[in-house]
Amino acid sequence: MALNLDSIGKKIGPLSSDYTWKDAVLYALGVGAGFSDLEYCYEKDLKVIPSFATTTLYNFMPELMVASNVNLAGILHGEEELIFHNPIPPEGTMTTEGKITDYFDKGEGKGALVVAESETRHSNGKRLFTARATVFARLDGGFGGKNAPKREIVFPDRTPDFSVDASPSADQPLIYRLSGDVFQLHVDPEFAKMAGFEKPIMHGLCTHGFACRALIQSLIPGEPEKARRMFNRFTKPLYPGMPLKTLIWKTGEGKAVWRVVNTETGEIVINNGEFEYGDIPRDEIRFDEKVAIVTGAGAGLGRVYALELAKRGAKVVINDLGGARDGSGGSSKSPADKVVDEIKDMGGRAVANYDNVASPEGGENIVKSALDAFGTVDILINNAGILRDKSFIKMTPENWNAVLAVHLNGAYNVSRPAFKVMREKGYGRIVMTTSAAGLYGNFGQTNYTSAKLALVGFMNTLKLEGKKYNIKVNTIAPVAASRLTEDVLPPDFLEKLKPEFVAPMTLFLCSEECPVTGNIYNAGMGFYNRAAIVTGPGTVIGDGSKIPEVEDIESHMNKISSLKKGREYFQLNDQLGDVMAAFAAPAGEASDTDGTTASVAAVFEAMPDAFNADAAGGVDVVFQYNISGEGGGDWYCEIKNGACTVTAGSTDSPACTLKMAAGDFLAMMNGTLPAMQAYTSGKLTIAGDIMKSQLIEKLFKF
Ligand code: NAI
């Protein structure tokens, strides 16, 4: 039995469970609530303990076990993280959807970790919480995977600010299990003995619920809705009836660390606890546990992106080589280090990297910094930049190449290794940095504008390659006061151009919530809009058989240049489809009296006669057609030894299968719907060998 490593990124759920106020109260009683915190136990003005979120795990975990193929005999709940987005209402339906995000290998005989993430929404439409669970799989180590990154939680060297005593009753698991975890280990004395315990043990998540109550009582009394995040590691089993205490140290504004100790033995039963709390805008966009790389983050825009990402929970790699504005001179570690210190001072997580984005090794090292420190990469902002402005004749190859090397090659060098990680995990956000100068032109910047618009081309293709892996690639065109613009713009204007105005747009493009890919946004001073490459409808000169004269272009120039009713294309094929369509007669012009074929069956009947044996040139191939709608049906067409046979029905192993509605099929066969357009518009779908399907137009002349 081995872990199913292919299950990473595959969807688990949606799993729904209905609950009423009685379930919320039963949970509260299970984790020790009573008259002392009646708001959790009385249906009048009932508040739900945030850790009630863990009850959704009882649906999610069994699915996780099946998906991961973990050896059930060796599993323990390792770590639990809850990020609260909205308070849990007293009743309704919770729907959870998630996936396995990582497998870590501690080594042969030492076990493995299975990490899963899920998000739960309420039937009122609100996002309630994100849960991240780590299962310690004691018997699954040694599969050759990477080890988990170290997570260090520093406890202050002083007595705790709060110590909350609790006395779970000797019967506590009997109440707690009614909230969903009915595993025998917590109820059946015989089973517990078989598993090596004196008697049934407490549920780790029950002790967790005691701790959650203690944290709220100490830090946000009476306001459980202010809980933002709770993290912990389960370290030791606890017998029911043992007294426990939750020790809490405040570490910063809205932050605390905590652990739970068995009061009698002094053993730590839950460790590495972190708790965040405070007034938060609900439905806040967060980056908790996301790992971001920001290049050129030692100053200007990059620094602000990094600070804002960290404030919202991201772990950030601060890349900056600390050179001069034109990229010349020695490098310095201090800009990157300073930003790392700023982030750490506010309780965030960041590491510095001083590599040069302009070299492939630099790019690899930057991504390696993220992997070494935080285990993955979710977000990349290609931001590093320099300027070497000169009017064109004075633009030396050195100045040209230096600017392209940082902006264009830099983005390539870092994106490539980052994209590899993102593709494997099925998630990623990449932001390119262009410039209004690149989009619209600016005197004296041929090098910079070329590099900046090239990044749009880079995005255009990377968005297509990333699409099926949930990697979204967008581009920001910022305007902000920084050393790049300090001598270009007047001082009072610079005042209004705080980089902070750009950051919200860039952060949104980095977020899970970002719905778009392949877009360009201008952002600055509080003004935001989208820029795009728009293509006019154009015109056909002639019928496509005679080559027009230069003078024909002159006389059609207005139509050719017009952008009225212009379109934006997502990819090359869409534009090709429109070019083909421009040659097609309007659909209404086709009729069965002008020599075209009127029924689907007639097309297949005519197919052997329309077959062009010369074009077949030794090709043996079988096409399956599934035509839906009135007059449709299934036919397959075999081309073998220069002959064509058509048979009604289906065959087992066609080279490709073409599916279309009857009307579209007739339009295509009669020449009013170009095949390419049918394909790009989704009217024709092709499964199997798409290249073979391209033979069809050559093989048949109707
Ligand atoms: P900035 O000069 O304040 O920051 C750029 C940072 O990139 C610097 O800290 C620098 O040390 C670093 N860097 C330069 N070359 C590097 C390399 N090879 N490897 C690693 N780090 C390197 O500039 P600002 O204004 O914050 O610019 C950020 C990005 O925004 C740049 O790509 C720039 O072209 C772009 N941009 C800025 C505009 C603005 O109005 N500030 C306008 C349009 C685009």
Side-chain angles (χ1 to χ4, degrees):
M1 204 159 90
L3 290 173
N4 176 13
L5 303 179
D6 289 342
S7 58
I8 288 188
K10 297 208 175 117
K11 198 160 86 170
I12 299 179
L15 306 162
S16 289
S17 55
D18 300 330
Y19 69 102
T20 68
W21 66 268
K22 289 186 185 170
D23 298 295
V25 171
L26 184 60
Y27 171 81
L29 297 173
V31 300
F35 279 108
S36 60
D37 37 14
L38 196 60
E39 69 268 28
Y40 301 140
C41 304
Y42 183 19
E43 66 275 24
K44 184 164 167 265
D45 300 328
L46 184 73
K47 291 194 173 186
V48 177
I49 304 177
S51 54
F52 180 62
T54 56
T55 59
T56 56
L57 283 174
Y58 304 131
N59 284 334
F60 187 77
M61 282 294 187
E63 303 275 333
L64 168 68
M65 302 307 164
V66 173
S68 62
N69 202 31
V70 64
N71 187 338
L72 295 178
I75 52 168
L76 291 172
H77 196 160
E79 291 179 342
E80 184 60 36
E81 178 166 29
L82 295 169
I83 296 148
F84 306 107
H85 310 298
N86 280 292
I88 303 175
E91 60 185 17
T93 304
M94 290 196 281
T95 303
T96 302
E97 213 174 292
K99 61 183 181 221
I100 294 173
T101 56
D102 274 304
Y103 288 102
F104 294 112
D105 190 3
K106 296 173 92 65
E108 187 67 47
K110 294 186 183 157
L113 300 177
V114 184
V115 186
E117 185 180 295
S118 64
E119 185 163 282
T120 299
R121 291 185 173 269
H122 191 264
S123 38
N124 66 11
K126 293 215 162 157
R127 196 159 68 112
L128 293 182
F129 49 84
T130 303
R132 212 164 279 122
T134 302
V135 175
F136 178 40
R138 283 183 297 155
L139 306 177
D140 287 301
F143 62 85
K146 60 188 173 190
N147 201 348
K150 285 239 168 323
R151 182 175 193 134
E152 254 190 77
I153 291 179
V154 183
F155 283 84
D157 191 12
R158 60 170 201 267
T159 49
D161 300 313
F162 302 93
S163 171
V164 182
D165 287 304
S167 308
S169 97
D171 301 323
Q172 203 71 43
L174 300 181
I175 310 174
Y176 182 80
R177 67 193 295 270
L178 301 179
S179 288
D181 184 353
V182 292
F183 188 33
Q184 297 101 302
L185 183 60
H186 307 290
V187 61
D188 185 334
E190 292 307 313
F191 186 95
K193 283 208 178 93
M194 245 166 43
F197 296 101
E198 284 169 29
K199 57 181 178 179
I201 58 171
M202 289 274 280
H203 301 75
L205 282 175
C206 175
T207 314
H208 174 270
F210 273 83
C212 187
R213 282 179 43 240
L215 287 159
I216 292 166
Q217 177 195 325
S218 307
L219 300 166
I220 39 176
E223 296 182 292
E225 62 280 4
K226 285 192 176 167
R228 298 183 63 170
R229 176 174 165 268
M230 184 171 174
F231 171 82
N232 66 280
R233 179 176 297 164
F234 299 97
T235 45
K236 279 257 176 326
L238 182 74
Y239 287 115
M242 282 284 184
L244 52 84
K245 59 181 167 211
T246 305
L247 307 177
I248 303 165
W249 291 259
K250 284 173 89 164
T251 50
E253 190 54 39
K255 284 178 192 277
V257 292
W258 59 277
R259 53 169 61 120
V260 179
V261 171
N262 176 334
T263 314
E264 216 166 277
T265 63
E267 279 177 338
I268 299 173
V269 294
I270 297 185
N271 204 2
N272 278 10
E274 288 179 305
F275 189 68
E276 289 174 36
Y277 55 97
D279 281 321
I280 48 163
R282 291 297 165 183
D283 289 326
E284 187 188 23
I285 290 179
R286 299 279 307 172
F287 296 92
D288 300 282
E289 294 308 313
K290 292 279 187 282
V291 176
I293 295 174
V294 184
T295 67
L301 285 156
R303 172 182 161 273
V304 175
Y305 298 157
L307 290 174
E308 294 301 320
L309 281 165
K311 273 187 208 158
R312 288 171 182 261
K315 295 179 257 185
V316 193
V317 175
I318 309 295
N319 156 261
D320 206 299
L321 92 177
R325 170 176 131 145
D326 66 357
S328 66
S331 57
S332 154
K333 292 184 173 180
S334 73
D337 286 344
K338 267 196 201 150
V339 178
V340 170
D341 289 345
E342 278 185 87
I343 291 177
K344 286 194 171 158
D345 285 349
M346 53 185 209
R349 282 174 280 179
V351 290
N353 168 285
Y354 319 106
D355 278 288
N356 184 345
V357 297
S359 77
E361 306 76 51
E364 293 279 353
N365 276 340
I366 293 167
V367 173
K368 188 168 178 298
S369 294
L371 298 180
D372 289 348
F374 305 127
T376 190
V377 183
D378 303 284
I379 295 165
L380 166 63
I381 306 180
N382 286 307
N383 167 79
I386 58 167
L387 276 187
R388 291 194 178 194
D389 295 357
K390 290 274 179 245
S391 61
F392 186 50
I393 297 299
K394 293 185 192 145
M395 181 63 70
T396 60
E398 196 200 347
N399 287 336
W400 175 272
N401 289 332
V403 165
L404 263 83
V406 174
H407 292 275
L408 179 57
N409 297 357
Y412 159 78
N413 290 331
V414 192
S415 298
R416 191 158 166 258
F419 190 85
K420 195 163 168 251
V421 178
M422 292 172 179
R423 203 179 62 162
E424 269 169 26
K425 68 190 291 185
Y427 181 84
R429 298 286 182 263
I430 299 178
V431 177
M432 307 287 178
T433 306
T434 186
S435 157
L439 295 173
Y440 314 117
N442 200 25
F443 192 93
Q445 293 195 314
T446 47
N447 53 355
Y448 182 70
T449 54
S450 303
K452 285 309 202 189
L453 202 56
L455 288 164
V456 172
F458 183 14
M459 168 192 75
N460 283 341
T461 292
L462 203 58
K463 80 179 176 202
L464 299 176
E465 297 194 11
K467 197 160 175 245
K468 83 172 196 220
Y469 304 103
N470 191 15
I471 302 172
K472 293 186 175 164
V473 191
N474 289 288
T475 297
I476 188 91
V479 196
S482 75
R483 69 175 185 174
L484 288 192
T485 45
E486 65 193 356
D487 57 359
V488 186
L489 299 166
D492 52 338
F493 194 51
L494 285 173
E495 251 307 284
K496 299 187 179 125
L497 283 172
K498 292 198 174 82
E500 283 77 1
F501 280 118
V502 178
M505 186 77 230
T506 307
L507 259 69
F508 182 67
L509 297 177
C510 294
S511 70
E512 257 189 84
E513 287 78 357
C514 173
V516 294
T517 187
N519 282 1
I520 310 164
Y521 293 95
N522 287 301
M525 275 198 316
F527 178 78
Y528 310 90
N529 65 359
R530 184 155 89 88
I533 294 175
V534 173
T535 307
T539 187
V540 173
I541 305 177
D543 61 1
S545 57
K546 178 175 170 291
I547 296 171
E549 301 295 337
V550 181
E551 292 73 16
D552 294 328
I553 300 293
E554 183 188 28
S555 60
H556 287 82
M557 213 34 201
N558 280 348
K559 267 195 164 173
I560 297 171
S561 299
S562 172
L563 287 177
K564 207 168 159 198
K565 295 201 179 156
R567 263 194 73 184
E568 192 196 340
Y569 294 105
F570 189 70
Q571 58 181 325
L572 167 70
N573 278 353
D574 300 347
Q575 193 261 351
L576 279 180
D578 268 8
V579 173
M580 307 294 245
F583 286 93
E589 283 176 27
S591 81
D592 47 355
T593 56
D594 62 0
T596 59
T597 313
S599 80
V600 174
V603 171
F604 286 105
E605 209 172 296
M607 218 171 219
D609 290 336
F611 178 62
N612 176 2
D614 292 343
V619 177
D620 288 350
V621 62
V622 183
F623 301 114
Q624 174 72 51
Y625 291 84
N626 301 136
I627 310 298
S628 58
E630 204 176 332
D634 298 335
W635 285 266
Y636 61 95
C637 165
E638 268 179 295
I639 290 157
K640 206 168 178 191
N641 303 329
C644 166
T645 48
V646 175
T647 316
S650 296
T651 180
D652 282 344
S653 47
C656 61
T657 302
L658 299 94
K659 293 188 181 177
M660 274 190 111
D664 294 332
F665 177 71
L666 286 175
M668 187 173 81
M669 299 316 285
N670 290 333
T672 56
L673 173 64
M676 178 66 86
Q677 193 195 352
Y679 178 61
T680 56
S681 64
K683 288 179 175 168
L684 164 64
T685 59
I686 304 173
D689 187 344
I690 292 181
M691 299 310 287
K692 289 265 164 55
S693 72
Q694 293 184 3
L695 290 171
I696 293 174
E697 279 193 296
K698 274 208 279 174
L699 292 176
F700 299 98
K701 285 277 167 279
F702 285 89

